[in-house]
């Protein structure tokens, strides 16, 4: 099963990267997307200037860098919907293989792009706004960033399974989930700022654990908490993968019963 | 005027059936929560004005550019652009009416952010200079319409420009001082900000909410209107270039 999933996932990823090449040229990625992303991170970091607080400036820069990563990874909602728009869902249903690796691979193009932009934001723009890194903290921070990105992708996979049923809302859902993540996951204010109910929701989001670890590393605090955050990232990511796979099975079952697979 | 109103009525009907076009309004309350949370967490109630106005200006800019940028392409996709070009009516007032409606509807973002401030955070905002606030808002809507019209034609003239549509957001939120005033930006950015009408609008809107008497309000409203008029003139010229080129190359229906 593993080899089949890998083969199918790779074929689906080839589709994903073909999409990326159509969307961006190297020049438009650098002068269009990257400039926009760095401006977004600077926008948040500058709030620290407004507050006349260098500590807040550093906090908001780290938050901004993770937020742009989440923004890009959650484009999975849009690219998953493109697959249904292309009318391939009925074909995928009759194929003798699970659809999970198909949809897991279908949007992986956002992962390297999101990692590149958020890494540049953290490690190149960071020092401009007072976030300094040693080799050790930078390496650990990058590892946390990779884990956060992968776990957020699995979270996005689950959200996109909901979007598959309402593809006209693909951009809306992505934008709203990104904004909620920005608000409550510790990107702009510590999670403790929020009431208990909101804190509970925040702890379901992978970004919350990644941000906690990155804030600590930006303050050169290398503690056991970072390791536990990494473990929680894996756990939460796998949880969302399970939820996503269940939602996909439910959607397909419903579509087959009602005959609406081709017509969402 | 009739064409302007026709365009406006048509766009209003379109908006009611396109929930995807209202993304900016869906995220405005959440953005307000983000900015007000930062202000409250840091014990800076004096900055609530910035936190409430910023999401509204972001909605205004984001929604106007998104919808206006897609207008001609959408007409092409539905096969109606040829018919529009063939009619004896002028297109510029028609498109301007449509853009104006989008800009006015995007002002709902201001209502949303005001409500979030009052209901969720209990921050009562009072307009200290209501006359100036209303005039600045009106000038901002007009200026935004002028600039959004530029995008309508620009994205048709240059296919590569569309790739940068997404990039016209945060760089302009920084340069336009929608949250952090231009005076706090690095010195090398400030001259660029002077030609971004948002920077004049944002500063003046914030000043009109605060009790202190604003400096040179007439001059600053004039700057918003002047930059808006420059945008409108550019939009009119660009649309005529688009139409001339499309007629010459026989590409009205095909694009490019």
């Amino acid at each position: 099963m593993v080899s089949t999933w890998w083969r199918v996932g790779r074929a689906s990823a080839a589709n994903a990267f073909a999409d990326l090449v159509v969307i961006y040229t190297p020049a438009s990625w650098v002068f269009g997307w990257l400039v926009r992303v760095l401006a977004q991170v600077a926008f948040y970091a500058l709030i620290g200037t407004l507050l006349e607080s260098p500590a807040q400036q550093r906090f908001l820069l780290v938050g901004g860098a993770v937020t742009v990563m989440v923004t890009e990874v959650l484009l999975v909602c849009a690219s998953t919907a493109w697959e249904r728009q292309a009318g391939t869902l009925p074909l995928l249903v009759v194929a003798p293989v699970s659809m999970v690796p198909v949809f897991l691979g279908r949007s992986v193009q956002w992962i390297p792009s999101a990692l590149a932009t958020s890494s540049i934001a953290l490690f190149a723009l960071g020092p401009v706004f007072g976030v300094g890194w040693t080799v050790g903290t930078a390496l650990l921070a990058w590892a946390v960033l990779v884990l956060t990105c992968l776990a957020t992708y699995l979270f996005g996979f689950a959200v996109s399974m909901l979007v598959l049923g309402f593809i006209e809302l693909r951009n809306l859902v992505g934008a709203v989930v990104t904004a909620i993540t920005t608000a409550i996951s510790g990107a702009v204010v510590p999670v403790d700022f929020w009431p208990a109910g909101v804190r509970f929701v925040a702890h379901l989001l992978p970004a919350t654990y990644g941000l906690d670890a990155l804030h600590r590393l930006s303050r050169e605090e290398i503690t056991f908490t970072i390791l536990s955050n990494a473990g929680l990232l894996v756990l939460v990511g796998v949880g969302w993968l399970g939820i996503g796979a269940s939602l996909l099975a439910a959607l397909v079952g419903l579509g087959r019963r009602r005959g609406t697979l081709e017509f969402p | 005027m009739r064409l302007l109103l026709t365009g406006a009525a048509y766009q209003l009907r379109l908006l009611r059936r396109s929930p995807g076009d209202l993304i900016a309004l869906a995220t405005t309350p959440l953005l307000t929560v983000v900015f007000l949370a930062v202000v409250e967490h840091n014990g800076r109630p004096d900055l609530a004005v910035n936190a409430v106005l910023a999401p509204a200006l972001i909605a205004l800019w984001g929604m106007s550019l998104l919808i206006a940028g897609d207008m001609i392409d959408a007409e092409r996709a539905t096969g109606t652009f040829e018919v529009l070009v063939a009619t004896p009516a002028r297109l510029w007032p028609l498109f301007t009416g449509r853009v104006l409606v989008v800009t006015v509807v995007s002002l709902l973002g201001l209502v949303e952010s005001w409500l979030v401030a009052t209901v969720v955070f209990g921050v009562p905002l009072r307009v200290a200079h209501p006359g100036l606030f209303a005039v600045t808002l009106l000038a901002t809507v007009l200026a935004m319409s002028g600039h959004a019209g530029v995008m309508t034609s620009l994205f048709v003239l240059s296919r590569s420009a569309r790739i940068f549509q997404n990039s016209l957001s945060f760089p302009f939120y920084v340069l336009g001082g929608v949250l952090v005033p231009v005076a706090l930006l690095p010195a090398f950015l400030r001259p660029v900000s002077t030609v971004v009408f948002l920077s004049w609008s944002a500063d003046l809107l914030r000043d009109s909410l605060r009790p202190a008497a604003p400096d040179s309000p007439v001059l600053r409203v004039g700057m918003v209107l002047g930059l808006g008029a420059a945008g409108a003139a550019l939009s009119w010229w660009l649309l005529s270039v688009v139409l001339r080129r499309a007629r010459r190359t026989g590409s009205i229906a095909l694009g490019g």
Side-chain angles (χ1 to χ4, degrees), chain A residues 1 22 27 29 33-34 36 74 130 187 209 245 254 262 264:
Chain A
M1 184 180 118
V22 171
W29 188 88
W33 182 244
L34 183 62
R36 183 257 195 219
L74 282 178
Y209 303 101
L254 196 71
E262 204 163 359

Short mmCIF file of all heavy atoms in Angstrom, two decimals, chain A residues 1 22 27 29 33-34 36 74 130 187 209 245 254 262 264:
data_model
loop_
_atom_site.label_atom_id
_atom_site.label_comp_id
_atom_site.label_asym_id
_atom_site.label_seq_id
_atom_site.Cartn_x
_atom_site.Cartn_y
_atom_site.Cartn_z
N MET A 1 0.83 -1.21 0.00
CA MET A 1 0.00 0.00 0.00
C MET A 1 0.86 1.26 0.00
O MET A 1 0.58 2.21 -0.72
CB MET A 1 -0.91 -0.01 1.23
CG MET A 1 -1.88 1.17 1.24
SD MET A 1 -2.97 1.16 2.68
CE MET A 1 -2.54 2.67 3.49
N VAL A 22 2.81 27.26 -14.19
CA VAL A 22 1.88 28.09 -14.98
C VAL A 22 1.60 29.41 -14.24
O VAL A 22 1.51 30.47 -14.85
CB VAL A 22 0.55 27.32 -15.23
CG1 VAL A 22 -0.49 28.24 -15.84
CG2 VAL A 22 0.81 26.13 -16.13
N ALA A 27 10.81 35.11 -12.22
CA ALA A 27 10.82 36.57 -12.02
C ALA A 27 9.55 37.04 -11.31
O ALA A 27 9.60 37.85 -10.38
CB ALA A 27 10.96 37.28 -13.36
N TRP A 29 7.65 35.30 -9.38
CA TRP A 29 7.64 34.81 -8.00
C TRP A 29 8.47 35.75 -7.12
O TRP A 29 8.04 36.13 -6.04
CB TRP A 29 8.20 33.37 -7.93
CG TRP A 29 8.06 32.74 -6.58
CD1 TRP A 29 7.00 32.03 -6.11
CD2 TRP A 29 9.00 32.78 -5.50
NE1 TRP A 29 7.21 31.63 -4.81
CE2 TRP A 29 8.44 32.08 -4.40
CE3 TRP A 29 10.27 33.33 -5.33
CZ2 TRP A 29 9.09 31.91 -3.18
CZ3 TRP A 29 10.93 33.17 -4.12
CH2 TRP A 29 10.33 32.47 -3.05
N TRP A 33 5.33 37.82 -5.94
CA TRP A 33 4.90 37.13 -4.72
C TRP A 33 5.81 37.41 -3.52
O TRP A 33 5.33 37.74 -2.44
CB TRP A 33 4.80 35.63 -5.00
CG TRP A 33 4.30 34.85 -3.82
CD1 TRP A 33 4.98 33.91 -3.11
CD2 TRP A 33 3.03 34.98 -3.18
NE1 TRP A 33 4.21 33.44 -2.08
CE2 TRP A 33 3.01 34.07 -2.10
CE3 TRP A 33 1.90 35.77 -3.41
CZ2 TRP A 33 1.90 33.93 -1.25
CZ3 TRP A 33 0.80 35.63 -2.56
CH2 TRP A 33 0.82 34.72 -1.51
N LEU A 34 7.12 37.26 -3.73
CA LEU A 34 8.04 37.43 -2.60
C LEU A 34 7.98 38.87 -2.05
O LEU A 34 7.96 39.07 -0.82
CB LEU A 34 9.48 37.08 -3.01
CG LEU A 34 10.53 37.16 -1.91
CD1 LEU A 34 10.24 36.18 -0.78
CD2 LEU A 34 11.93 36.87 -2.47
N ARG A 36 5.47 40.88 -2.15
CA ARG A 36 4.19 41.01 -1.44
C ARG A 36 4.28 40.38 -0.05
O ARG A 36 3.84 40.95 0.95
CB ARG A 36 3.11 40.32 -2.28
CG ARG A 36 1.71 40.43 -1.73
CD ARG A 36 1.35 39.13 -1.09
NE ARG A 36 -0.09 39.07 -0.86
CZ ARG A 36 -0.63 38.54 0.22
NH1 ARG A 36 0.12 38.06 1.18
NH2 ARG A 36 -1.94 38.49 0.35
N LEU A 74 -2.46 27.36 2.82
CA LEU A 74 -3.92 27.20 2.76
C LEU A 74 -4.49 27.46 1.36
O LEU A 74 -5.69 27.34 1.15
CB LEU A 74 -4.61 28.06 3.81
CG LEU A 74 -4.52 27.46 5.23
CD1 LEU A 74 -5.17 28.37 6.25
CD2 LEU A 74 -5.14 26.07 5.31
N GLY A 130 15.39 43.35 14.11
CA GLY A 130 15.94 43.03 15.42
C GLY A 130 15.85 41.58 15.85
O GLY A 130 16.15 41.26 17.01
N ALA A 187 0.32 34.55 16.75
CA ALA A 187 1.09 35.31 15.75
C ALA A 187 1.18 36.78 16.13
O ALA A 187 2.19 37.44 15.89
CB ALA A 187 0.46 35.16 14.37
N TYR A 209 1.63 25.67 17.83
CA TYR A 209 2.81 25.01 18.40
C TYR A 209 4.08 25.51 17.71
O TYR A 209 5.11 25.73 18.36
CB TYR A 209 2.68 23.49 18.25
CG TYR A 209 1.41 23.00 18.92
CD1 TYR A 209 0.28 22.70 18.16
CD2 TYR A 209 1.31 22.92 20.29
CE1 TYR A 209 -0.90 22.29 18.77
CE2 TYR A 209 0.13 22.53 20.91
CZ TYR A 209 -0.97 22.21 20.14
OH TYR A 209 -2.13 21.83 20.75
N ALA A 245 -9.05 12.52 5.67
CA ALA A 245 -9.35 11.26 4.96
C ALA A 245 -10.80 10.85 5.22
O ALA A 245 -11.50 10.41 4.30
CB ALA A 245 -8.38 10.17 5.41
N LEU A 254 -21.39 10.37 -0.14
CA LEU A 254 -22.57 11.21 -0.36
C LEU A 254 -22.77 11.48 -1.85
O LEU A 254 -23.88 11.38 -2.38
CB LEU A 254 -22.38 12.54 0.40
CG LEU A 254 -23.63 13.38 0.61
CD1 LEU A 254 -24.55 12.72 1.62
CD2 LEU A 254 -23.24 14.77 1.10
N GLU A 262 -20.11 14.73 -10.05
CA GLU A 262 -19.64 15.60 -11.13
C GLU A 262 -20.21 17.01 -11.02
O GLU A 262 -19.70 17.95 -11.60
CB GLU A 262 -20.02 15.01 -12.49
CG GLU A 262 -19.12 15.48 -13.60
CD GLU A 262 -19.23 14.59 -14.82
OE1 GLU A 262 -19.99 13.61 -14.78
OE2 GLU A 262 -18.57 14.90 -15.80
N PRO A 264 -21.02 19.49 -8.20
CA PRO A 264 -21.04 19.90 -6.78
C PRO A 264 -22.12 20.93 -6.51
O PRO A 264 -22.46 21.71 -7.38
CB PRO A 264 -19.67 20.51 -6.59
CG PRO A 264 -19.18 20.87 -7.95
CD PRO A 264 -19.81 19.91 -8.89
#
